[in-house]
Amino acid sequence: MKNRNIRGAQAVADAAVAAAQAQHTAVAGERTAAAVVRTLVRAVLALDVEIADIDAKITLRFREHCHAEVVLRELR
């Protein structure tokens, strides 16, 4: 909101946070949905780690190639 020059952005944000913290109503299925989201987040985080590991392996393998320096030089 600040980025869009909305007057009183901090007050609106504070009111929204206060309202959210004061909420005591539970919605049917809320716990189940939270458990599903938690499971999905863990899966995404695990995939991020796996992707980083694979990327590192690809980088190491590429640098072992006899033409790696030539390719890197051409990319610069």
Side-chain angles (χ1 to χ4, degrees):
M1 289 190 293
K2 275 186 177 180
N3 294 345
R4 296 180 184 234
N5 295 323
I6 294 175
R7 203 173 315 172
Q10 188 61 50
V12 172
D14 291 342
V17 170
Q21 290 173 340
Q23 183 178 359
H24 299 291
T25 305
V27 178
E30 183 177 331
R31 286 188 178 152
T32 301
V36 169
V37 169
R38 186 172 30 257
T39 299
L40 292 173
V41 167
R42 286 181 180 151
V44 169
L45 292 174
L47 286 172
D48 281 346
V49 169
E50 189 173 348
I51 289 168
D53 182 51
I54 291 169
D55 188 47
K57 288 177 182 175
I58 290 170
T59 299
L60 287 173
R61 180 66 182 111
F62 171 76
R63 292 192 182 277
E64 291 173 354
H65 193 277
C66 63
H67 299 300
E69 286 303 317
V70 173
V71 172
L72 289 174
R73 195 173 329 133
E74 290 298 319
L75 292 174
R76 291 182 199 144

Coordinates of all heavy atoms in Angstrom, one line a residue:
M1 N 0.8 -1.2 0.0 CA 0.0 0.0 0.0 C 0.9 1.3 0.0 O 0.5 2.2 -0.6 CB -0.9 0.0 1.2 CG -2.1 -1.0 1.1 SD -3.4 -0.9 2.3 CE -2.5 -1.3 3.8
K2 N 2.0 1.2 0.7 CA 2.9 2.4 0.7 C 3.4 2.6 -0.6 O 3.5 3.8 -1.0 CB 4.0 2.1 1.7 CG 3.7 2.5 3.1 CD 5.0 2.3 4.0 CE 4.8 2.7 5.4 NZ 6.0 2.6 6.2
N3 N 3.7 1.6 -1.4 CA 4.3 1.7 -2.7 C 3.3 2.4 -3.7 O 3.7 3.0 -4.7 CB 4.6 0.4 -3.3 CG 5.8 -0.3 -2.6 OD1 6.5 0.4 -1.8 ND2 6.0 -1.6 -2.8
R4 N 2.0 2.3 -3.4 CA 1.0 3.0 -4.2 C 0.5 4.3 -3.6 O -0.5 4.8 -4.0 CB -0.2 2.0 -4.4 CG 0.2 0.8 -5.1 CD -0.9 -0.2 -5.3 NE -0.4 -1.3 -6.0 CZ -1.0 -1.8 -7.1 NH1 -2.0 -1.3 -7.6 NH2 -0.5 -2.9 -7.6
N5 N 1.2 4.8 -2.6 CA 0.9 6.1 -2.0 C -0.5 6.2 -1.4 O -1.2 7.2 -1.6 CB 1.2 7.2 -3.0 CG 2.6 7.3 -3.3 OD1 3.5 7.1 -2.5 ND2 2.9 7.7 -4.6
I6 N -0.9 5.1 -0.8 CA -2.3 5.1 -0.2 C -2.1 5.8 1.2 O -1.3 5.4 2.0 CB -2.8 3.6 0.0 CG1 -3.0 3.1 -1.4 CG2 -4.1 3.6 0.8 CD1 -3.4 1.6 -1.5
R7 N -3.0 6.7 1.4 CA -3.0 7.5 2.6 C -3.4 6.6 3.8 O -4.4 5.9 3.7 CB -3.9 8.7 2.5 CG -3.6 9.8 3.5 CD -4.4 11.0 3.2 NE -4.5 11.3 1.8 CZ -5.2 12.2 1.2 NH1 -6.0 13.0 2.0 NH2 -5.3 12.5 -0.1
G8 N -2.6 6.7 4.9 CA -2.9 5.9 6.1 C -2.7 4.4 5.9 O -3.3 3.6 6.6
A9 N -1.7 4.0 5.1 CA -1.5 2.6 4.8 C -1.1 1.9 6.1 O -1.6 0.7 6.3 CB -0.3 2.5 3.8
Q10 N -0.3 2.5 6.9 CA 0.1 1.8 8.1 C -1.0 1.5 9.1 O -1.2 0.5 9.7 CB 1.2 2.6 8.9 CG 1.8 1.8 10.1 CD 2.5 0.6 9.6 OE1 3.3 0.5 8.7 NE2 2.2 -0.5 10.3
A11 N -2.0 2.5 9.2 CA -3.1 2.3 10.0 C -4.0 1.2 9.5 O -4.6 0.4 10.3 CB -3.9 3.7 10.1
V12 N -4.2 1.1 8.2 CA -5.0 0.1 7.6 C -4.4 -1.3 7.8 O -5.0 -2.2 8.2 CB -5.2 0.3 6.1 CG1 -5.9 -0.9 5.4 CG2 -6.0 1.6 5.8
A13 N -3.1 -1.3 7.6 CA -2.3 -2.6 7.9 C -2.5 -3.0 9.4 O -2.7 -4.2 9.7 CB -0.9 -2.5 7.5
D14 N -2.3 -2.1 10.3 CA -2.4 -2.4 11.7 C -3.8 -2.8 12.0 O -4.0 -3.8 12.8 CB -2.1 -1.1 12.5 CG -0.6 -0.7 12.5 OD1 0.2 -1.6 12.1 OD2 -0.3 0.4 12.8
A15 N -4.8 -2.2 11.5 CA -6.2 -2.6 11.7 C -6.5 -4.0 11.2 O -7.1 -4.8 11.9 CB -7.2 -1.6 11.1
A16 N -5.9 -4.4 10.1 CA -6.1 -5.7 9.5 C -5.4 -6.8 10.3 O -6.0 -7.8 10.6 CB -5.5 -5.7 8.1
V17 N -4.2 -6.5 10.8 CA -3.5 -7.4 11.7 C -4.3 -7.6 13.0 O -4.5 -8.7 13.5 CB -2.1 -7.0 11.9 CG1 -1.4 -7.8 13.0 CG2 -1.3 -7.0 10.7
A18 N -4.8 -6.5 13.6 CA -5.5 -6.6 14.8 C -6.8 -7.4 14.7 O -7.1 -8.2 15.5 CB -5.8 -5.2 15.3
A19 N -7.5 -7.2 13.5 CA -8.7 -7.9 13.3 C -8.4 -9.4 13.1 O -9.1 -10.3 13.6 CB -9.4 -7.4 12.0
A20 N -7.3 -9.7 12.4 CA -7.0 -11.1 12.2 C -6.6 -11.8 13.5 O -7.0 -13.0 13.8 CB -5.8 -11.3 11.2
Q21 N -5.9 -11.1 14.4 CA -5.5 -11.6 15.7 C -6.7 -11.8 16.6 O -6.7 -12.7 17.5 CB -4.4 -10.8 16.3 CG -3.1 -10.9 15.6 CD -2.1 -9.9 16.2 OE1 -2.4 -8.9 16.8 NE2 -0.8 -10.2 15.9
A22 N -7.7 -11.0 16.4 CA -8.9 -11.0 17.3 C -9.9 -12.1 16.9 O -10.9 -12.4 17.6 CB -9.6 -9.7 17.3
Q23 N -9.7 -12.7 15.7 CA -10.6 -13.7 15.1 C -10.5 -15.0 15.9 O -9.4 -15.5 16.1 CB -10.3 -13.9 13.7 CG -11.3 -14.9 13.0 CD -11.0 -15.1 11.5 OE1 -10.0 -14.5 11.0 NE2 -11.7 -15.9 10.9
H24 N -11.7 -15.4 16.4 CA -11.7 -16.7 17.2 C -12.6 -17.7 16.5 O -12.8 -18.8 17.1 CB -12.2 -16.4 18.6 CG -11.3 -15.5 19.3 ND1 -10.0 -15.8 19.7 CD2 -11.4 -14.2 19.7 CE1 -9.5 -14.8 20.4 NE2 -10.3 -13.8 20.4
T25 N -13.2 -17.4 15.4 CA -14.1 -18.3 14.7 C -13.3 -19.4 13.9 O -12.3 -19.0 13.2 CB -15.0 -17.6 13.7 OG1 -15.7 -16.6 14.5 CG2 -16.0 -18.5 13.1
A26 N -13.6 -20.6 14.1 CA -13.0 -21.7 13.3 C -13.9 -22.1 12.2 O -15.1 -22.3 12.4 CB -12.6 -22.8 14.2
V27 N -13.3 -22.3 11.0 CA -14.1 -22.8 9.9 C -14.0 -24.3 9.8 O -12.9 -24.8 10.0 CB -13.5 -22.1 8.6 CG1 -14.3 -22.5 7.4 CG2 -13.6 -20.6 8.7
A28 N -15.1 -24.9 9.4 CA -15.1 -26.4 9.2 C -14.0 -26.7 8.2 O -13.8 -26.2 7.2 CB -16.4 -26.8 8.7
G29 N -13.1 -27.7 8.6 CA -12.1 -28.1 7.7 C -10.8 -27.3 7.8 O -9.8 -27.6 7.1
E30 N -10.8 -26.3 8.7 CA -9.6 -25.5 8.8 C -8.4 -26.2 9.2 O -7.3 -26.0 8.6 CB -9.9 -24.4 9.8 CG -8.9 -23.4 10.0 CD -9.3 -22.3 11.0 OE1 -10.5 -22.0 11.2 OE2 -8.4 -21.8 11.7
R31 N -8.5 -27.1 10.1 CA -7.3 -27.9 10.5 C -6.8 -28.8 9.5 O -5.6 -29.0 9.2 CB -7.6 -28.7 11.8 CG -7.7 -27.8 13.0 CD -7.8 -28.6 14.3 NE -7.8 -27.7 15.4 CZ -8.4 -28.0 16.6 NH1 -9.1 -29.1 16.7 NH2 -8.4 -27.1 17.5
T32 N -7.8 -29.4 8.7 CA -7.4 -30.3 7.6 C -6.7 -29.5 6.5 O -5.7 -30.0 6.0 CB -8.6 -31.0 7.1 OG1 -9.3 -31.7 8.1 CG2 -8.3 -32.0 5.9
A33 N -7.2 -28.4 6.2 CA -6.6 -27.5 5.2 C -5.2 -27.1 5.6 O -4.3 -27.1 4.8 CB -7.5 -26.3 4.9
A34 N -5.1 -26.8 6.9 CA -3.7 -26.4 7.4 C -2.8 -27.5 7.3 O -1.6 -27.3 6.9 CB -3.9 -25.9 8.8
A35 N -3.2 -28.7 7.6 CA -2.3 -29.9 7.5 C -1.9 -30.2 6.0 O -0.8 -30.5 5.8 CB -3.0 -31.1 8.1
V36 N -2.9 -30.0 5.1 CA -2.5 -30.2 3.7 C -1.5 -29.1 3.2 O -0.5 -29.5 2.6 CB -3.8 -30.1 2.8 CG1 -3.5 -30.0 1.4 CG2 -4.7 -31.3 3.1
V37 N -1.7 -27.9 3.6 CA -0.8 -26.8 3.2 C 0.6 -27.1 3.8 O 1.6 -26.9 3.1 CB -1.3 -25.4 3.7 CG1 -0.3 -24.4 3.5 CG2 -2.6 -25.1 2.9
R38 N 0.6 -27.5 5.1 CA 1.9 -27.8 5.7 C 2.6 -28.9 5.0 O 3.8 -28.8 4.7 CB 1.7 -28.2 7.2 CG 2.9 -28.4 8.0 CD 2.7 -28.6 9.5 NE 1.4 -29.2 9.9 CZ 0.3 -28.6 10.3 NH1 0.3 -27.3 10.5 NH2 -0.8 -29.3 10.6
T39 N 1.9 -30.0 4.6 CA 2.5 -31.1 3.8 C 3.0 -30.6 2.5 O 4.1 -30.9 2.1 CB 1.4 -32.2 3.6 OG1 1.0 -32.7 4.9 CG2 2.0 -33.3 2.8
L40 N 2.2 -29.8 1.8 CA 2.7 -29.2 0.5 C 3.9 -28.3 0.6 O 4.8 -28.4 -0.2 CB 1.5 -28.5 -0.2 CG 0.3 -29.3 -0.6 CD1 -0.8 -28.5 -1.1 CD2 0.7 -30.3 -1.7
V41 N 3.9 -27.5 1.6 CA 5.1 -26.6 1.9 C 6.3 -27.5 2.1 O 7.4 -27.2 1.5 CB 4.8 -25.7 3.0 CG1 6.1 -25.0 3.5 CG2 3.8 -24.6 2.7
R42 N 6.2 -28.5 2.9 CA 7.4 -29.4 3.1 C 7.9 -30.0 1.8 O 9.1 -30.1 1.6 CB 7.0 -30.4 4.2 CG 7.0 -29.9 5.6 CD 6.6 -31.0 6.5 NE 6.5 -30.4 7.9 CZ 5.8 -30.9 8.8 NH1 5.0 -32.0 8.6 NH2 5.8 -30.4 10.0
A43 N 6.9 -30.4 1.0 CA 7.3 -31.0 -0.3 C 8.0 -30.0 -1.2 O 9.0 -30.4 -1.8 CB 6.0 -31.6 -1.0
V44 N 7.5 -28.8 -1.3 CA 8.1 -27.8 -2.1 C 9.5 -27.5 -1.6 O 10.5 -27.3 -2.4 CB 7.2 -26.5 -2.2 CG1 8.0 -25.4 -2.8 CG2 5.9 -26.8 -2.9
L45 N 9.7 -27.3 -0.3 CA 11.0 -27.1 0.3 C 12.0 -28.2 0.0 O 13.1 -27.9 -0.3 CB 10.9 -26.8 1.8 CG 10.1 -25.5 2.2 CD1 10.0 -25.4 3.7 CD2 10.9 -24.3 1.7
A46 N 11.5 -29.4 0.1 CA 12.3 -30.6 -0.2 C 12.7 -30.5 -1.7 O 13.9 -30.8 -2.0 CB 11.6 -31.9 0.1
L47 N 11.8 -30.2 -2.6 CA 12.1 -30.1 -4.0 C 13.2 -29.0 -4.3 O 14.0 -29.1 -5.1 CB 10.9 -29.8 -4.8 CG 9.9 -31.0 -5.0 CD1 8.6 -30.5 -5.7 CD2 10.6 -32.1 -5.8
D48 N 13.0 -27.9 -3.5 CA 14.0 -26.8 -3.7 C 15.4 -27.3 -3.3 O 16.4 -27.0 -4.0 CB 13.7 -25.6 -2.8 CG 12.6 -24.7 -3.3 OD1 12.3 -24.9 -4.5 OD2 12.1 -23.9 -2.6
V49 N 15.5 -28.1 -2.3 CA 16.8 -28.6 -1.9 C 17.3 -29.6 -2.9 O 18.5 -29.6 -3.3 CB 16.7 -29.3 -0.5 CG1 18.0 -30.1 -0.2 CG2 16.4 -28.3 0.6
E50 N 16.4 -30.4 -3.4 CA 16.8 -31.4 -4.5 C 17.3 -30.7 -5.7 O 18.3 -31.1 -6.4 CB 15.7 -32.3 -4.8 CG 16.0 -33.5 -5.6 CD 14.9 -34.5 -5.8 OE1 13.9 -34.4 -5.0 OE2 15.0 -35.4 -6.6
I51 N 16.6 -29.7 -6.1 CA 16.9 -28.9 -7.3 C 18.3 -28.3 -7.2 O 19.1 -28.3 -8.1 CB 15.9 -27.9 -7.7 CG1 14.6 -28.6 -8.2 CG2 16.4 -26.9 -8.7 CD1 13.4 -27.6 -8.3
A52 N 18.6 -27.7 -6.0 CA 19.9 -27.1 -5.7 C 21.0 -28.1 -5.8 O 22.1 -27.8 -6.4 CB 19.9 -26.4 -4.4
D53 N 20.7 -29.3 -5.3 CA 21.7 -30.4 -5.3 C 22.0 -30.8 -6.7 O 23.2 -31.0 -7.1 CB 21.2 -31.6 -4.5 CG 22.2 -32.7 -4.4 OD1 23.4 -32.4 -4.1 OD2 21.8 -33.8 -4.7
I54 N 21.0 -31.0 -7.5 CA 21.1 -31.4 -8.9 C 21.8 -30.3 -9.7 O 22.7 -30.6 -10.5 CB 19.8 -31.7 -9.5 CG1 19.2 -33.0 -8.9 CG2 19.9 -31.9 -11.1 CD1 17.8 -33.3 -9.3
D55 N 21.5 -29.1 -9.5 CA 22.2 -27.9 -10.1 C 23.6 -27.9 -9.8 O 24.5 -27.7 -10.7 CB 21.5 -26.6 -9.7 CG 22.0 -25.5 -10.5 OD1 22.1 -25.6 -11.8 OD2 22.3 -24.4 -9.9
A56 N 24.0 -28.2 -8.6 CA 25.4 -28.2 -8.2 C 26.1 -29.4 -8.9 O 27.3 -29.2 -9.4 CB 25.5 -28.3 -6.7
K57 N 25.5 -30.5 -9.0 CA 26.1 -31.7 -9.7 C 26.3 -31.4 -11.2 O 27.3 -31.7 -11.7 CB 25.2 -32.9 -9.5 CG 25.3 -33.4 -8.1 CD 24.3 -34.6 -7.9 CE 24.4 -35.1 -6.5 NZ 23.4 -36.2 -6.2
I58 N 25.3 -30.7 -11.8 CA 25.4 -30.4 -13.2 C 26.6 -29.4 -13.4 O 27.4 -29.6 -14.3 CB 24.1 -29.8 -13.7 CG1 23.0 -30.9 -13.8 CG2 24.3 -29.1 -15.1 CD1 21.6 -30.4 -14.1
T59 N 26.6 -28.4 -12.5 CA 27.7 -27.4 -12.7 C 29.1 -28.1 -12.5 O 30.0 -27.8 -13.3 CB 27.6 -26.3 -11.6 OG1 26.3 -25.7 -11.8 CG2 28.7 -25.3 -11.6
L60 N 29.2 -29.0 -11.5 CA 30.5 -29.7 -11.4 C 30.9 -30.5 -12.6 O 32.0 -30.5 -13.1 CB 30.5 -30.5 -10.1 CG 30.6 -29.8 -8.8 CD1 30.4 -30.7 -7.6 CD2 31.9 -29.1 -8.7
R61 N 29.9 -31.2 -13.1 CA 30.1 -32.1 -14.2 C 30.5 -31.3 -15.5 O 31.4 -31.6 -16.2 CB 28.9 -33.0 -14.5 CG 29.0 -33.9 -15.7 CD 30.1 -35.0 -15.4 NE 30.2 -35.8 -16.5 CZ 31.3 -35.9 -17.3 NH1 32.3 -35.1 -17.0 NH2 31.3 -36.7 -18.3
F62 N 29.7 -30.2 -15.7 CA 30.0 -29.3 -16.8 C 31.5 -28.8 -16.8 O 32.2 -28.8 -17.8 CB 29.1 -28.1 -16.9 CG 29.4 -27.1 -17.9 CD1 29.2 -27.3 -19.2 CD2 30.0 -25.9 -17.5 CE1 29.6 -26.4 -20.2 CE2 30.4 -24.9 -18.4 CZ 30.1 -25.2 -19.8
R63 N 31.9 -28.3 -15.6 CA 33.2 -27.8 -15.5 C 34.3 -28.8 -15.7 O 35.5 -28.4 -16.0 CB 33.4 -27.1 -14.1 CG 32.5 -25.9 -14.0 CD 32.9 -25.1 -12.8 NE 32.0 -23.9 -12.7 CZ 32.1 -22.8 -13.3 NH1 33.1 -22.6 -14.1 NH2 31.3 -21.8 -13.1
E64 N 34.0 -30.1 -15.6 CA 35.0 -31.1 -15.9 C 35.2 -31.4 -17.4 O 36.1 -32.0 -17.8 CB 34.5 -32.5 -15.3 CG 34.6 -32.5 -13.8 CD 33.9 -33.7 -13.2 OE1 33.4 -34.6 -14.0 OE2 34.0 -33.9 -12.0
H65 N 34.2 -30.9 -18.2 CA 34.3 -31.1 -19.7 C 35.5 -30.3 -20.2 O 35.8 -29.2 -19.8 CB 33.0 -30.6 -20.3 CG 32.9 -31.1 -21.7 ND1 33.4 -30.4 -22.8 CD2 32.3 -32.2 -22.3 CE1 33.2 -31.0 -23.9 NE2 32.5 -32.1 -23.6
C66 N 36.1 -30.9 -21.2 CA 37.3 -30.3 -21.8 C 37.0 -28.9 -22.5 O 37.9 -28.1 -22.7 CB 38.0 -31.2 -22.8 SG 37.0 -31.7 -24.2
H67 N 35.8 -28.7 -22.9 CA 35.5 -27.4 -23.6 C 34.7 -26.4 -22.7 O 34.2 -25.4 -23.2 CB 34.6 -27.7 -24.9 CG 35.4 -28.5 -25.9 ND1 36.6 -28.1 -26.5 CD2 35.1 -29.7 -26.4 CE1 37.0 -29.1 -27.3 NE2 36.1 -30.1 -27.3
A68 N 34.6 -26.7 -21.4 CA 33.9 -25.8 -20.5 C 34.4 -24.4 -20.5 O 33.6 -23.5 -20.6 CB 33.9 -26.4 -19.1
E69 N 35.7 -24.2 -20.5 CA 36.2 -22.8 -20.5 C 35.9 -22.1 -21.7 O 35.6 -20.9 -21.7 CB 37.7 -22.9 -20.2 CG 38.1 -23.2 -18.8 CD 37.5 -22.2 -17.8 OE1 37.5 -21.0 -18.1 OE2 37.0 -22.7 -16.8
V70 N 35.9 -22.8 -22.9 CA 35.6 -22.1 -24.1 C 34.1 -21.7 -24.2 O 33.8 -20.6 -24.5 CB 35.9 -23.1 -25.3 CG1 35.4 -22.5 -26.6 CG2 37.4 -23.4 -25.4
V71 N 33.3 -22.5 -23.7 CA 31.8 -22.2 -23.7 C 31.6 -21.1 -22.7 O 30.9 -20.1 -23.1 CB 31.0 -23.5 -23.3 CG1 29.6 -23.1 -23.0 CG2 31.1 -24.6 -24.3
L72 N 32.2 -21.1 -21.6 CA 32.0 -20.0 -20.6 C 32.5 -18.7 -21.1 O 31.9 -17.7 -20.9 CB 32.7 -20.4 -19.3 CG 32.0 -21.5 -18.5 CD1 32.8 -21.8 -17.3 CD2 30.6 -21.1 -18.0
R73 N 33.6 -18.8 -21.8 CA 34.2 -17.5 -22.4 C 33.3 -16.9 -23.4 O 33.1 -15.7 -23.5 CB 35.6 -17.9 -23.0 CG 36.4 -16.7 -23.3 CD 37.8 -17.0 -23.8 NE 38.3 -18.2 -23.2 CZ 38.9 -19.2 -23.9 NH1 39.2 -19.1 -25.2 NH2 39.4 -20.3 -23.3
E74 N 32.7 -17.8 -24.2 CA 31.7 -17.3 -25.3 C 30.5 -16.7 -24.7 O 29.9 -15.8 -25.3 CB 31.4 -18.5 -26.2 CG 32.5 -18.9 -27.1 CD 33.0 -17.8 -28.0 OE1 32.2 -17.0 -28.6 OE2 34.2 -17.7 -28.2
L75 N 30.1 -17.2 -23.5 CA 28.9 -16.7 -22.9 C 29.1 -15.3 -22.2 O 28.1 -14.6 -22.0 CB 28.4 -17.7 -21.8 CG 27.8 -19.0 -22.4 CD1 27.5 -19.9 -21.2 CD2 26.6 -18.7 -23.2
R76 N 30.3 -15.0 -21.9 CA 30.6 -13.7 -21.3 C 30.6 -12.6 -22.2 O 30.4 -12.1 -23.1 CB 32.0 -13.7 -20.6 CG 32.1 -14.6 -19.5 CD 33.4 -14.6 -18.8 NE 33.6 -15.8 -18.0 CZ 34.7 -16.5 -17.9 NH1 35.8 -16.1 -18.5 NH2 34.7 -17.6 -17.2

